[in-house]
Amino acid sequence: MERFPRNNRIQEFNLDLGYGGIENTGCCELGTLVSKLENVISISFMLERNDINSEGAAGLVRNFGKLNSLKALCLNLARNQISVQGAEALAFALGKVPNLTRLVLNLSEHRIGYGCAKYISQSLSYLVNLEYLDLNLWRNYIGYDGAACISDSLPELHNLAYLKLNLGHNSIGKEACDHIFNAISQLTNLQEIELRFHDSNFIGKLCTVEPVTMIDDQNAENIALCIRKLKNLHRIGITLAENEITSKGTEVISQAIKSFEKLDEVTFDLDLHLLKVDAFSEDKTTLVSYQRL
């Protein structure tokens, strides 16, 4: 790292060390390297499952504020040991790169809790130039309060054309689901959405949030209403498996999807093998897959 030249002309830097053993020391060394990438436009760090805790996460991003040219950032820190302090450090660093137009952030399976969503949501308020957001907080037990933070921050991202949001296994419940879809419906420039809300009442051994009411047919009606407001959509992907939506809710969402004329692709997962055949639309294919030829 010490021999890496400063003022280099590198504009794209991709590093895949997933399932390795770099731990905190390696993360901090990468953080030092980042400070020398003064002209970089795109960074991708794939660091899944590396025994990284909050100290390592903070060390990794401590110099992001020096990257004035950075437009695209991918951080995969899934399945490490990051706590709420690490999430706060990540969020603080993200707030220092307001020119980002593309952000991929994977913090899945950390069990951080409400604080994870709180701090990440705060950072999104600084990233108003984002056009592409892929946020994976799967199995962090953020609960209703965490999901509410995310729903509050999303409407500020007026330039978003692509949104991928994974909040599965977080015990967010039906009310939070409505809040998030209402927020998404305000993003009228969206062209593609991929949303995962499977098992909205998941309670793990280390989960401290209270059990909530699962997503049901009432939510399906609101989801359908919100989808109809996104006139520019040409790709939809929604996962609501392991909830309590029945054939009634399925039909409501199906009709909303069929109302679009510009759609190129639809994927929809409701654990359809658990539903009767009459839960499908008339052609029996709309909610499985749809692709315009």
Side-chain angles (χ1 to χ4, degrees):
M1 297 296 181
E2 295 179 358
R3 296 181 180 180
F4 200 89
R6 188 177 293 276
N7 296 322
N8 59 78
R9 297 182 180 180
I10 293 176
Q11 293 188 331
E12 183 175 347
F13 190 83
N14 301 320
L15 189 62
D16 187 347
L17 295 174
Y19 292 83
I22 69 170
E23 302 180 331
N24 291 337
T25 300
C27 259
C28 291
E29 289 182 359
L30 285 177
T32 300
L33 182 150
V34 164
S35 67
K36 301 177 181 180
L37 299 174
E38 297 178 353
N39 298 304
V40 73
I41 296 175
S42 174
I43 289 178
S44 175
F45 287 150
M46 310 298 288
L47 303 175
E48 181 176 358
R49 200 170 184 177
N50 266 284
D51 293 325
I52 299 166
N53 63 25
S54 293
E55 178 185 351
L60 176 67
V61 300
R62 69 182 185 274
N63 288 311
F64 276 14
K66 300 178 181 180
L67 306 178
N68 297 323
S69 300
L70 189 63
K71 299 290 186 181
L73 174 64
C74 174
L75 289 178
N76 184 349
L77 294 168
R79 303 183 71 182
N80 282 291
Q81 301 168 18
I82 298 172
S83 68
V84 66
Q85 289 79 16
E88 183 177 11
L90 287 169
F92 182 76
L94 289 174
K96 291 188 173 183
V97 282
N99 294 323
L100 282 181
T101 58
R102 181 184 179 95
L103 174 63
V104 178
L105 180 60
N106 188 342
L107 291 176
S108 61
E109 203 166 355
H110 280 288
R111 304 174 179 86
I112 298 174
Y114 156 71
C116 178
K118 172 187 174 182
Y119 290 119
I120 297 302
S121 296
Q122 289 175 356
S123 71
L124 291 179
S125 65
Y126 295 96
L127 303 178
V128 294
N129 294 310
L130 282 181
E131 300 173 3
Y132 183 109
L133 174 62
D134 180 346
L135 179 60
N136 188 342
L137 300 181
W138 179 76
R139 206 169 188 176
N140 266 287
Y141 308 151
I142 67 173
Y144 168 85
D145 290 336
C149 288
I150 293 173
S151 64
D152 288 343
S153 65
L154 285 176
E156 303 298 322
L157 305 178
H158 303 291
N159 295 313
L160 271 190
Y162 177 96
L163 174 63
K164 182 176 181 179
L165 182 62
N166 187 344
L167 298 181
H169 285 204
N170 268 301
S171 194
I172 66 172
K174 61 178 295 178
E175 291 184 14
C177 176
D178 279 346
H179 291 329
I180 290 175
F181 272 95
N182 289 339
I184 291 172
S185 70
Q186 299 178 49
L187 301 174
T188 54
N189 290 318
L190 280 176
Q191 298 178 26
E192 300 183 32
I193 57 173
E194 187 172 343
L195 310 171
R196 299 181 66 86
F197 292 82
H198 49 295
D199 200 353
S200 65
N201 193 28
F202 177 80
I203 301 294
K205 294 180 180 178
L206 302 178
C207 184
T208 58
V209 297
E210 295 295 325
V212 292
T213 305
M214 296 183 76
I215 296 171
D216 57 18
D217 287 342
Q218 186 177 2
N219 294 107
E221 293 179 4
N222 186 58
I223 290 170
L225 178 64
C226 292
I227 288 175
R228 290 178 185 270
K229 295 179 181 180
L230 301 174
K231 303 298 185 180
N232 294 312
L233 282 182
H234 63 78
R235 181 176 178 272
I236 299 176
I238 301 178
T239 297
L240 294 166
E242 300 175 80
N243 283 291
E244 295 183 346
I245 294 178
T246 69
S247 58
K248 177 182 177 182
T250 304
E251 178 62 23
V252 170
I253 296 176
S254 173
Q255 292 302 319
I257 291 174
K258 291 169 67 177
S259 70
F260 283 87
E261 298 180 356
K262 298 179 180 179
L263 284 180
D264 297 316
E265 183 179 353
V266 173
T267 55
F268 203 87
D269 182 0
L270 270 172
D271 266 357
L272 292 177
H273 64 280
L274 299 178
L275 299 176
K276 296 180 180 179
V277 172
D278 61 6
F280 294 86
S281 57
E282 294 180 0
D283 60 5
K284 305 294 189 297
T285 62
T286 300
L287 294 183
V288 180
S289 63
Y290 168 95
Q291 188 168 357
R292 189 180 299 279
L293 299 176

